[in-house]
Amino acid sequence: MDDMAKWSAARLKPNSYDFKVEVFNLEYEILNVDPDEYSYICFIKDVKRCVALANEVVEMNPYEKFKVEVELPLSGARYIVEGDDDMESFGKRVIRVSVEAIPVDFVEPKTLLEAQPEDNEGFVRQDNEEAKEDIPDEFYWSVESDESDHEEDHERGQDGQGSGVVEGMETGQESGVVKGIEIGQGSGGVEGNQTGQGSGGVEDIEVQGEMSEYHEDSSYEGSTDDEDAVTRFSKHMKGQQFAYGDNGKIHFKVGQVFGGVDHFRKVFRDYVSQRGFSVRKIHNERRRFKAKCKQTNCTFHLYAALMPDDVSFQIRKYRHSHTCTRVYNNREATTAWVAEKMGDFIRSQKGSSIKPLVDALGRKHYLQLSRSKLYRANQLAKGRSDKLHAESFIGLLKYDHIVKHTNLGSMYNVKSVSLEGIPNFQRCFLGFAAQKKGFIEGCRHFIGVDGCHLKGPYGGVLLSAVPMDANSGIFPIAITICEIENKESWRYFMTLLKEFIGDIDPITIMSDRQKGLVDAIQTCWPNASVRHCARHVYANFRKKFPGLRLRNLFWAVSRAANIIDFQQAMEKVEAVDREAHRWMIENDVRSWSRHAFDLDSKSDNVTNNMCEVFNSWLGENRELPILSLLEHYRRRVMVQMQARAKARNDWVTTVPPVVHRKINGLIESARNIEVIWPGSDKFEVVDNNCLPSRRYILNLQSQTCDCGMWQLSGVPCVHAALFAF
């Protein structure tokens, strides 16, 4: 195995290439090249753009030749790149290439048709030999034709009619016209022509009979020795316009005409994917296209070329039969192709899983493509390509202007951050005026803060601040998009959050103890009460003591709403493992156990479920470009606020429905409670729901209970439920 083959086998093909190109002793870069879409011609064009002057139009000259050498990364050896097949061998992310222009002699092309002298009767003299010299075969026909092709054409043209013979023409009509041509089976000539039906062109060519082994009629295959220039010219002026068959099936025929080379390439890509074979493109240029099956000994062959109008593209040769096995991982099924063909299906699916796409693509197109390609196609079909993500950051300043000038709210400090791969990445803080008003007037002063990772190609983190309203529902008030979750980004978010909602005191903030968050809270909110999510604390506890099974005891410590219950739970932990007891004390148990919570926030939450619900609320929209994500968030908040305002009008009591149902649920348990009234606002209650029974002092005036739950949550506890109505 040669050096290049070893290198190709050792490395997987990357998703994109970066070329380091050396031209005229100068080095240029061609970055982020898609291997599925890039060809040899595209590479030459990009090289010419690199060396072109400013505002210079880059065009491809058919007389230019280039020597392209690629340096192998292992041995430093070089090999010559001559076409698209060589481009497929690249296996390294960064490729070093040298390009050298090769001077060639310019040959002026011959005139297509020269003026012919007329005889006395007004007919153009048909000088066949001169016409053949004036119009080279390769301009109209297959440039790869060899002598055997012409011999075969000549033999077919001798089928009793003679080749290149015009019969049945009536004189005295319009001159220089061949019209109403019908080409019979195996005929190499033109029959039954009447020139009296019109003039000035060639019309209504009809191909009849069965196609040959190449699916072609002899008149399309080549020119005979006696054929005149006008007849040869007429072959390529008309043809059958291509159209898709039933269910999008593609059937090629010789003579089919396409709207242009791009149209032909698109149809050919569909054809290759339908038939399931690998193709080797010998020529893939603006003027000609030649392809064969890539598998050895397969007879498939197709040749098409530009028509004389310099726009239309026509099939000249075509052998449709295949002797190879079907290819399921087809290179012609590119990311863009899959996104186009399966776009409606992809957009109809919820979530980002590509498994439904894998199944649908297999059923419909018999394709089994790589997961990375299907993922890119999934993103592209949903408008989430890398390019859209990068361009989306550019529009942040404009979005900021729109938000500020439509009285929706404020978008503070759209700050540019230098980030590798995203030169224009920008942090942003988004909060709306209605959210600020709703938080101040209708929510508990208890805010959960958390971050979730974005799923786009450039990553990023979305930081959120989510309080709870009176009905225990989440009420997001602000978000921030930043490049990473660290001390600086949390300080950026907390500073702008305080500026947005004002200096509220008292306030409680719940966190997952993210890196730098506690310091940012203490810096921006020095008077805030900080809680730590008990679920996060328990996860750290399990890492420290993987062998202990203290889950129930840990949550008993966390949910203890009074000092007596807390001390009893801690004594049980100490009895099992003193190191675990010491660890809980050292990890600031007051920040994750209810008995030590600040009572002003009126929330007994020991977990940060508000932010977790919000993150799932965003769902798969975290894959969207940043502007689309912000718009989704804005619309979702707007719909939520309208729905809750409407639901508020349906409340049957002044107590929120969730609180009302909770109190009704406590009444059943309150039946097992004995009440002793000493004649004041205080009551002694005996709780028989637990064994042994426990006694608590209940104060209706101050709305407190020794169990601790009433003053902690603001909702009557089970001992006060009998007095709630």
Side-chain angles (χ1 to χ4, degrees):
M1 183 181 293
D2 58 13
D3 186 24
M4 178 182 167
K6 292 180 180 179
W7 173 47
S8 300
R11 299 296 302 270
L12 293 176
K13 186 176 180 180
N15 292 332
S16 63
Y17 294 141
D18 287 346
F19 287 101
K20 304 289 187 180
V21 185
E22 181 182 348
V23 187
F24 303 135
N25 296 324
L26 297 176
E27 188 169 288
Y28 303 92
E29 289 185 341
I30 303 175
L31 304 178
N32 297 326
V33 172
D34 187 349
D36 293 331
E37 302 290 343
Y38 210 58
S39 66
Y40 179 77
I41 296 299
C42 295
F43 172 75
I44 295 298
K45 287 183 179 179
D46 286 343
V47 171
K48 295 186 68 174
R49 291 189 184 100
C50 290
V51 299
L53 300 176
N55 300 323
E56 180 181 353
V57 178
V58 176
E59 296 181 351
M60 294 300 296
N61 190 330
Y63 300 99
E64 291 180 321
K65 292 186 178 180
F66 298 90
K67 179 181 179 183
V68 180
E69 289 186 332
V70 172
E71 180 181 330
L72 299 182
L74 298 181
S75 65
R78 292 172 173 259
Y79 76 94
I80 302 296
V81 175
E82 297 180 342
D84 291 346
D85 291 341
D86 297 328
M87 300 286 287
E88 297 174 3
S89 302
F90 297 153
K92 188 173 176 62
R93 179 67 173 82
V94 180
I95 305 161
R96 301 195 66 86
V97 187
S98 65
V99 180
E100 177 183 354
I102 301 176
V104 296
D105 295 331
F106 176 77
V107 179
E108 186 70 27
K110 295 182 179 181
T111 306
L112 180 62
L113 284 178
E114 295 182 356
Q116 300 290 333
E118 297 185 0
D119 59 16
N120 295 332
E121 296 184 2
F123 284 94
V124 178
R125 290 208 307 268
Q126 307 297 329
D127 192 337
N128 295 332
E129 295 301 325
E130 293 181 4
K132 282 181 67 62
E133 294 177 358
D134 292 339
I135 308 174
D137 282 50
E138 53 267 24
F139 179 82
Y140 288 119
W141 205 239
S142 172
V143 298
E144 77 278 14
S145 298
D146 52 22
E147 295 180 0
S148 61
D149 293 332
H150 292 291
E151 292 173 1
E152 184 182 354
D153 300 338
H154 186 69
E155 292 174 1
R156 285 202 299 262
Q158 303 297 329
D159 190 19
Q161 300 293 338
S163 65
V165 180
V166 182
E167 299 183 352
M169 297 187 67
E170 297 182 5
T171 62
Q173 308 294 331
E174 298 292 334
S175 64
V177 178
V178 182
K179 182 167 182 173
I181 303 174
E182 294 185 356
I183 303 176
Q185 297 184 19
S187 172
V190 183
E191 302 178 329
N193 295 280
Q194 293 184 353
T195 61
Q197 298 182 14
S199 64
V202 182
E203 302 179 1
D204 304 331
I205 299 178
E206 181 178 355
V207 181
Q208 299 178 350
E210 296 182 359
M211 293 296 178
S212 68
E213 181 184 14
Y214 286 89
H215 271 242
E216 58 199 4
D217 195 278
S218 60
S219 60
Y220 275 92
E221 176 63 27
S223 302
T224 62
D225 294 337
D226 299 329
E227 195 171 32
D228 60 81
V230 175
T231 304
R232 292 170 60 204
F233 183 83
S234 68
K235 291 180 180 180
H236 312 292
M237 290 301 294
K238 280 293 179 178
Q240 181 183 0
Q241 187 69 29
F242 169 80
Y244 284 93
D246 295 338
N247 299 323
K249 293 294 183 181
I250 298 174
H251 301 284
F252 282 150
K253 295 180 181 179
V254 171
Q256 280 180 330
V257 178
F258 301 82
V261 64
D262 292 334
H263 179 213
F264 171 78
R265 287 170 178 165
K266 178 179 180 296
V267 175
F268 185 76
R269 190 183 297 274
D270 294 346
Y271 174 82
V272 172
S273 299
Q274 282 185 10
R275 298 301 176 95
F277 65 96
S278 297
V279 66
R280 181 167 66 93
K281 297 175 183 176
I282 302 172
H283 301 298
N284 187 12
E285 305 166 4
R286 191 184 75 86
R287 303 192 68 84
R288 60 177 178 171
F289 179 92
K290 181 180 179 181
K292 293 184 177 181
C293 183
K294 204 169 187 178
Q295 297 194 31
T296 308
N297 299 326
C298 184
T299 59
F300 172 82
H301 173 90
L302 185 143
Y303 175 75
L306 197 66
M307 296 182 70
D309 62 2
D310 207 35
V311 176
S312 303
F313 221 68
Q314 186 181 50
I315 295 179
R316 305 290 177 78
K317 282 189 177 183
Y318 172 48
R319 186 197 299 269
H320 78 289
S321 58
H322 278 279
T323 58
C324 58
T325 58
R326 188 176 187 90
V327 175
Y328 294 96
N329 187 7
N330 202 313
R331 283 179 53 85
E332 293 299 312
T334 62
T335 297
W337 185 89
V338 175
E340 177 186 359
K341 296 300 178 183
M342 305 298 294
D344 292 339
F345 175 82
I346 292 173
R347 287 185 286 271
S348 67
Q349 300 299 306
K350 295 182 179 180
S352 60
S353 174
I354 63 173
K355 189 178 185 306
L357 177 59
V358 172
D359 298 337
L361 201 61
R363 290 193 306 268
K364 186 174 181 180
H365 296 284
Y366 303 100
L367 292 171
Q368 298 175 1
L369 306 179
S370 65
R371 296 184 65 85
S372 60
K373 179 180 290 187
L374 294 182
Y375 176 79
R376 294 195 303 269
N378 187 70
Q379 300 298 305
L380 183 61
K382 293 181 177 180
R384 304 172 186 176
S385 66
D386 294 7
K387 182 178 180 181
L388 291 176
H389 277 269
E391 292 176 348
S392 185
F393 286 97
I394 302 175
L396 274 178
L397 291 175
K398 184 176 181 180
Y399 188 74
D400 178 31
H401 177 80
I402 294 174
V403 169
K404 288 180 179 178
H405 289 79
T406 53
N407 295 323
L408 289 174
S410 298
M411 189 172 185
Y412 292 91
N413 197 355
V414 179
K415 180 180 179 182
S416 296
V417 180
S418 177
L419 193 63
E420 183 179 358
I422 322 176
N424 54 351
F425 186 94
Q426 294 171 329
R427 292 178 185 166
C428 65
F429 174 93
L430 181 62
F432 297 106
Q435 293 173 293
K436 175 181 177 180
K437 181 180 179 182
F439 170 69
I440 294 175
E441 297 180 0
C443 292
R444 308 168 194 175
H445 293 176
F446 172 74
I447 301 175
V449 292
D450 194 14
C452 63
H453 291 280
L454 302 180
K455 299 181 180 180
Y458 300 117
V461 175
L462 185 146
L463 308 180
S464 57
V466 186
M468 297 180 64
D469 61 17
N471 199 35
S472 299
I474 66 170
F475 191 85
I477 57 174
I479 61 173
T480 280
I481 305 292
C482 59
E483 71 283 7
I484 194 173
E485 190 175 356
N486 57 17
K487 184 176 182 179
E488 182 183 356
S489 60
W490 275 118
R491 183 173 297 177
Y492 170 86
F493 179 47
M494 300 307 297
T495 300
L496 295 179
L497 178 63
K498 183 177 182 179
E499 180 182 346
F500 176 60
I501 64 176
D503 191 5
I504 297 177
D505 190 26
I507 190 170
T508 299
I509 299 177
M510 167 76 78
S511 77
D512 286 346
R513 303 180 70 175
Q514 294 92 334
K515 183 178 180 180
L517 175 56
V518 176
D519 292 340
I521 294 175
Q522 293 175 349
T523 301
C524 300
W525 306 81
N527 297 326
S529 174
V530 180
R531 294 186 192 177
H532 296 151
C533 177
R535 186 180 292 110
H536 180 78
V537 176
Y538 179 67
N540 292 336
F541 177 80
R542 287 295 305 274
K543 292 179 181 179
K544 181 68 176 179
F545 304 98
L548 290 181
R549 296 293 183 264
L550 296 179
R551 184 178 185 276
N552 292 336
L553 282 178
F554 178 89
W555 287 107
V557 172
S558 176
R559 292 168 179 165
N562 57 77
I563 189 64
I564 296 176
D565 291 344
F566 171 73
Q567 290 176 346
Q568 290 178 352
M570 289 295 289
E571 289 174 358
K572 293 179 181 179
V573 171
E574 186 177 18
V576 175
D577 192 288
R578 290 188 176 183
E579 289 296 325
H581 178 270
R582 184 181 298 108
W583 185 92
M584 290 183 181
I585 297 297
E586 292 176 352
N587 276 269
D588 194 11
V589 68
R590 295 172 300 174
S591 65
W592 52 272
S593 179
R594 282 175 175 168
H595 80 283
F597 284 172
D598 179 57
L599 302 180
D600 294 323
S601 63
K602 300 303 179 185
S603 173
D604 60 348
N605 284 55
V606 296
T607 60
N608 199 3
N609 286 340
M610 307 89 68
C611 289
E612 294 179 8
V613 171
F614 175 76
N615 292 340
S616 63
W617 193 54
L618 292 176
E620 299 300 332
N621 292 285
R622 286 186 285 169
E623 298 178 356
L624 293 172
I626 184 171
L627 284 182
S628 301
L629 174 61
L630 294 178
E631 266 299 281
H632 168 76
Y633 168 75
R634 182 189 66 82
R635 291 193 298 267
R636 189 75 183 265
V637 168
M638 181 173 61
V639 171
Q640 180 201 57
M641 295 181 67
Q642 175 62 25
R644 291 186 180 178
K646 182 179 179 181
R648 173 64 182 84
N649 297 327
D650 298 332
W651 289 6
V652 295
T653 65
T654 57
V655 179
V658 172
V659 178
H660 190 270
R661 289 194 297 270
K662 183 178 180 180
I663 294 175
N664 286 338
L666 293 175
I667 290 177
E668 183 66 24
S669 298
R671 296 177 59 191
N672 298 323
I673 295 176
E674 299 179 18
V675 180
I676 302 174
W677 182 43
S680 63
D681 293 333
K682 295 182 179 181
F683 295 83
E684 181 181 348
V685 294
V686 180
D687 189 352
N688 296 317
N689 291 307
C690 52
L691 294 175
S693 299
R694 297 185 59 178
R695 295 176 180 270
Y696 300 98
I697 302 299
L698 179 69
N699 191 328
L700 296 179
Q701 183 65 29
S702 62
Q703 297 183 353
T704 60
C705 179
D706 286 349
C707 72
M709 289 302 298
W710 193 358
Q711 56 267 35
L712 180 63
S713 65
V715 178
C717 60
V718 64
H719 311 116
L722 291 175
F723 303 92
F725 299 102

